[in-house]
Amino acid sequence: MRLIIREKAKEASVYVADYIVNRIKEFNPTPERPFVLGLPTGGSPISVYQLLVDKYNAGQISFENVVTFNMDEYVGIPRDHPQSYHTFMWRHFFSHVNIPPTNVHIPNGNAPDLAAECEAYEAAIVAAGGIDLFLAGIGGDGHIAFNEPGSSLASRTRVKTLAYDTVLDNARFFDNDITQVPRLALTVGVQTVLDAREVVAIVVGARKAVALRECLESSVNHMWTLSALQLHRHAMIVADEDATLELRVRTVKVRAIGSDAYMYTYTIGRGVVDNDR
Ligand code: GLP
């Protein structure tokens, strides 16, 4: 697992946005062979989306041959609700780039048969050729997508009851009124994420520090579902300094020769942990 640390959240976002753009360019997608990108919501990826939009506007990247699958969606609020993940994605990203609307996939939390919707979602991912890169965030309780503590690490897209911690966390988007926060969501499973050819998680802010420690330095377990990334061959976490506050393994910050930039080295004792794949 690679751990990339940047001083500030903004710099972590720049790293992630550059990484995604480079991946898409290297892939050189065509209509017959699109790049399949998994996407999250939440506060952490907003500046990544902003940067991707900036790069699109600067003519550095096209999303014409990109197919997207979002991680999750609330159940029980209308699609055009200001806090639905559908609204979020169009507001922050899709409306500002050239992705064909038919290439966008977001689970439908208003489907008449939610179980069938989840099955169809998994089938659509397979039909698209699988996800090339899944971008993820992390909840304060270490959840990935809405795979709350206790989720099976073999889970696939399904209906999930939100943990009370998540309801409290997400109340900030619902006028701080927990009664307005949906209690159910459709979410891809942990295994759905692990099936992607590559996973990149952005983890920023002191609020995520305990979760990052548990996911990165404890064993793989279903109470901190991001820890499942340890099982992935191509997983990378991009964090800011605040998110590393609780890490047990020390991080040494050194100024790169001839530059104002800092490099971060994750160490155990005197040895440097190989934080590459
Ligand atoms: C929700 C989403 C997660 C996201 C999390 C964290 O729970 N389902 O995918 O990672 O929010 O959001 P934030 O980045 O705002 O802390």
Coordinates of all heavy atoms in Angstrom, one line a residue, residues 40-45 71-72 85 137-139 143-146 166 170 172-173 207-208, ligand 1:
P40 N -16.4 9.0 -5.3 CA -17.1 9.2 -4.0 C -17.8 10.6 -3.9 O -17.6 11.5 -4.7 CB -15.9 9.2 -3.1 CG -14.8 9.9 -3.9 CD -15.1 9.6 -5.3
T41 N -18.5 10.8 -2.8 CA -19.0 12.1 -2.5 C -18.3 12.5 -1.1 O -17.3 11.9 -0.7 CB -20.5 12.1 -2.3 OG1 -20.8 11.1 -1.4 CG2 -21.2 11.8 -3.6
G42 N -18.9 13.4 -0.4 CA -18.3 13.9 0.9 C -17.5 15.2 0.6 O -17.3 15.6 -0.5
G43 N -17.1 15.8 1.7 CA -16.4 17.0 1.7 C -15.0 16.8 1.1 O -14.5 17.7 0.4
S44 N -14.3 15.7 1.4 CA -12.9 15.5 1.1 C -12.6 15.6 -0.5 O -11.6 16.2 -0.8 CB -12.4 14.2 1.6 OG -12.7 14.1 3.0
P45 N -13.5 15.0 -1.3 CA -13.1 15.0 -2.7 C -13.5 16.3 -3.5 O -13.2 16.4 -4.7 CB -13.9 13.8 -3.3 CG -15.0 13.5 -2.4 CD -14.6 14.1 -1.0
M71 N -20.1 5.6 -5.7 CA -20.1 4.6 -4.7 C -21.4 4.4 -4.0 O -21.7 3.3 -3.6 CB -19.2 5.1 -3.5 CG -17.8 5.3 -3.9 SD -16.8 5.5 -2.4 CE -15.6 4.2 -2.7
D72 N -22.2 5.5 -3.9 CA -23.4 5.3 -3.0 C -24.4 6.4 -3.3 O -24.2 7.4 -4.0 CB -23.0 5.3 -1.5 CG -21.9 6.3 -1.2 OD1 -21.7 7.3 -2.0 OD2 -21.3 6.2 -0.1
Y85 N -26.7 12.5 -3.5 CA -25.4 12.4 -4.1 C -25.5 12.6 -5.6 O -24.5 13.0 -6.3 CB -24.8 11.0 -3.8 CG -24.3 10.9 -2.3 CD1 -23.9 9.7 -1.8 CD2 -24.3 12.1 -1.5 CE1 -23.5 9.7 -0.4 CE2 -23.9 12.0 -0.2 CZ -23.5 10.8 0.3 OH -23.0 10.8 1.6
G137 N -13.3 8.2 -0.4 CA -13.0 9.0 0.8 C -13.1 8.0 2.0 O -13.0 6.8 1.8
I138 N -13.2 8.6 3.2 CA -13.3 7.7 4.3 C -14.2 8.4 5.4 O -14.1 9.6 5.5 CB -11.9 7.4 4.9 CG1 -11.9 6.7 6.2 CG2 -11.1 8.7 5.1 CD1 -10.5 6.4 6.8
G139 N -15.0 7.7 6.0 CA -15.8 8.3 7.1 C -15.0 8.3 8.4 O -13.9 7.7 8.5
H143 N -15.3 4.1 7.5 CA -16.0 3.4 6.5 C -15.6 3.9 5.1 O -15.2 5.0 4.9 CB -17.6 3.6 6.7 CG -18.1 4.9 6.5 ND1 -18.9 5.6 7.4 CD2 -18.0 5.8 5.4 CE1 -19.3 6.8 6.9 NE2 -18.8 6.9 5.7
I144 N -15.7 3.0 4.2 CA -15.5 3.3 2.8 C -16.8 3.1 2.0 O -17.5 2.2 2.3 CB -14.3 2.4 2.1 CG1 -14.0 2.8 0.7 CG2 -14.6 0.9 2.2 CD1 -12.7 2.3 0.2
A145 N -17.1 4.1 1.2 CA -18.5 4.2 0.6 C -19.4 4.3 1.8 O -19.2 5.1 2.7 CB -18.8 3.1 -0.3
F146 N -20.5 3.5 1.9 CA -21.3 3.5 3.2 C -21.1 2.1 3.8 O -22.1 1.5 4.4 CB -22.7 3.8 2.9 CG -23.1 5.2 3.0 CD1 -23.8 5.9 2.0 CD2 -22.7 6.0 4.1 CE1 -24.1 7.2 2.1 CE2 -23.0 7.3 4.2 CZ -23.7 8.0 3.2
T166 N -22.4 8.1 11.6 CA -22.4 8.6 10.2 C -23.6 9.6 10.1 O -23.5 10.7 9.5 CB -22.6 7.5 9.2 OG1 -21.4 6.7 9.4 CG2 -22.6 8.0 7.8
N170 N -23.1 13.4 9.1 CA -23.7 14.0 7.9 C -24.8 15.0 8.1 O -25.3 15.6 7.2 CB -24.2 12.8 7.0 CG -23.0 12.1 6.4 OD1 -21.9 12.4 6.6 ND2 -23.3 11.1 5.6
R172 N -24.3 17.7 9.3 CA -23.8 19.1 8.9 C -24.4 19.5 7.5 O -24.4 20.6 7.1 CB -22.3 19.1 8.9 CG -21.6 18.2 8.0 CD -20.2 17.9 8.4 NE -19.9 16.5 8.0 CZ -19.0 16.2 7.1 NH1 -18.2 17.1 6.5 NH2 -18.7 14.9 6.7
F173 N -24.7 18.5 6.6 CA -25.2 18.8 5.3 C -26.8 18.9 5.3 O -27.4 19.2 4.3 CB -24.9 17.6 4.3 CG -23.4 17.4 4.2 CD1 -22.8 16.2 4.6 CD2 -22.6 18.4 3.7 CE1 -21.4 16.0 4.5 CE2 -21.2 18.2 3.6 CZ -20.6 17.0 4.0
R207 N -10.0 15.0 12.0 CA -11.2 14.2 12.2 C -11.0 12.7 11.7 O -11.7 11.8 12.1 CB -12.4 14.8 11.5 CG -13.7 14.5 11.9 CD -14.8 15.5 11.4 NE -14.8 15.6 9.9 CZ -15.6 14.8 9.2 NH1 -16.3 13.9 9.7 NH2 -15.5 15.0 7.9
K208 N -10.1 12.5 10.8 CA -9.9 11.2 10.2 C -8.7 10.5 10.8 O -8.3 9.4 10.3 CB -9.7 11.3 8.7 CG -10.8 12.0 8.0 CD -12.1 11.2 8.0 CE -13.3 12.0 7.4 NZ -13.2 12.4 6.1
Ligands
GLP1 C1 -20.1 9.7 3.4 C2 -19.8 9.0 2.1 C3 -18.4 8.4 2.1 C4 -17.4 9.5 2.4 C5 -17.7 10.1 3.8 C6 -16.8 11.1 4.3 O1 -20.3 8.9 4.4 N1 -20.7 7.9 1.9 O2 -18.1 7.9 0.8 O3 -16.1 9.1 2.4 O4 -19.0 10.7 3.7 O5 -17.1 12.4 4.0 P1 -16.2 13.7 4.3 O6 -15.1 13.7 3.2 O7 -17.1 14.8 4.2 O8 -15.7 13.5 5.6

